[in-house]
Amino acid sequence: MADLGEVVWVVDMNRQSLDRVVPNIAARRLEKMFAAAGWQVLTVPFGRTLEGLFARPGGQALQRRIRDMSKPEYQRLLRCSAQEIRDRIPGTGPEAEAINETIGHLDDQALIGAISNLGGHDIDALRDAYARGVGGRADCGHRRGRRRLGLLMRATRDSASSVRSDLQIRRCT
């Protein structure tokens, strides 16, 4: 596989599944398999909005909280109001105050948008990863987020089966 040349294989490792929650160990296993075959593995877990929050004071606590969150807990957040997110995302651990400080300046819409800003939701974050991956060798890019980039949907447990109207599709092309 290492001799394939300029091949890019995108593996959608979002936190969604139609039939069950896929354990994180599957992602690590895939990553190790591609790396062992000589592929460059690029992971895009978060979009630029979340990365911007992670760079703020207390942002590393927010990043750890989201990374350590179970998939079912994360899925529940995607269906929450902004107030429910403010109540739930900090958790009860020692970093709760830092997380509150990090998200405290966000208005409700910005907070809802930020929480769903996984790597696959952000075309610019994906473009950045592809630009880093150029080098004449086979690449495997992990991303988290939408299956259909550019369509008018956000990550919810139902988005994998969402059907867009003709008007929504025309707006995206």
Side-chain angles (χ1 to χ4, degrees):
M1 285 174 51
D3 296 329
L4 287 176
E6 293 192 29
V7 173
V8 175
W9 187 341
V10 176
V11 179
D12 185 353
M13 299 299 294
N14 67 16
R15 292 179 160 205
Q16 301 177 59
S17 177
L18 292 176
D19 53 355
R20 68 185 178 101
V21 174
V22 179
N24 280 334
I25 194 165
R28 288 188 297 278
R29 190 176 300 139
L30 273 174
E31 196 171 327
K32 288 179 182 178
M33 179 188 75
F34 280 102
W39 288 44
Q40 178 183 21
V41 177
L42 305 171
T43 303
V44 186
F46 304 112
R48 288 180 169 185
T49 301
L50 272 176
E51 291 289 354
L53 286 175
F54 298 157
R56 295 178 59 87
Q60 289 183 351
L62 176 62
Q63 184 176 24
R64 281 188 292 275
R65 172 74 171 114
I66 292 172
R67 276 193 198 269
D68 294 345
M69 190 177 288
S70 72
K71 289 181 183 187
E73 182 180 8
Y74 180 78
Q75 286 299 306
R76 281 191 299 275
L77 277 181
L78 295 176
R79 301 179 74 82
C80 287
S81 68
Q83 187 56 53
E84 290 170 321
I85 293 170
R86 290 181 202 287
D87 293 342
R88 291 177 182 214
I89 193 84
T92 58
E95 295 186 308
E97 187 175 324
I99 294 169
N100 275 325
E101 184 179 317
T102 303
I103 64 171
H105 73 284
L106 297 174
D107 65 40
D108 289 351
Q109 284 305 112
L111 178 61
I112 290 169
I115 292 305
S116 64
N117 184 241
L118 297 178
H121 293 222
D122 190 328
I123 190 67
D124 292 323
L126 291 172
R127 284 183 181 139
D128 291 347
Y130 289 130
R132 286 192 316 268
V134 173
R137 57 187 278 199
D139 300 311
C140 172
H142 286 204
R143 71 178 181 90
R144 291 192 169 95
R146 288 185 203 148
R147 289 189 166 87
R148 297 167 208 88
L149 290 173
L151 293 182
L152 303 175
M153 62 173 56
R154 61 170 230 196
T156 71
R157 70 175 191 189
D158 303 321
S159 68
S161 62
S162 292
V163 178
R164 302 290 109 203
S165 70
D166 288 339
L167 175 61
Q168 289 171 320
I169 292 171
R170 281 194 299 274
R171 285 182 186 162
C172 294
T173 57

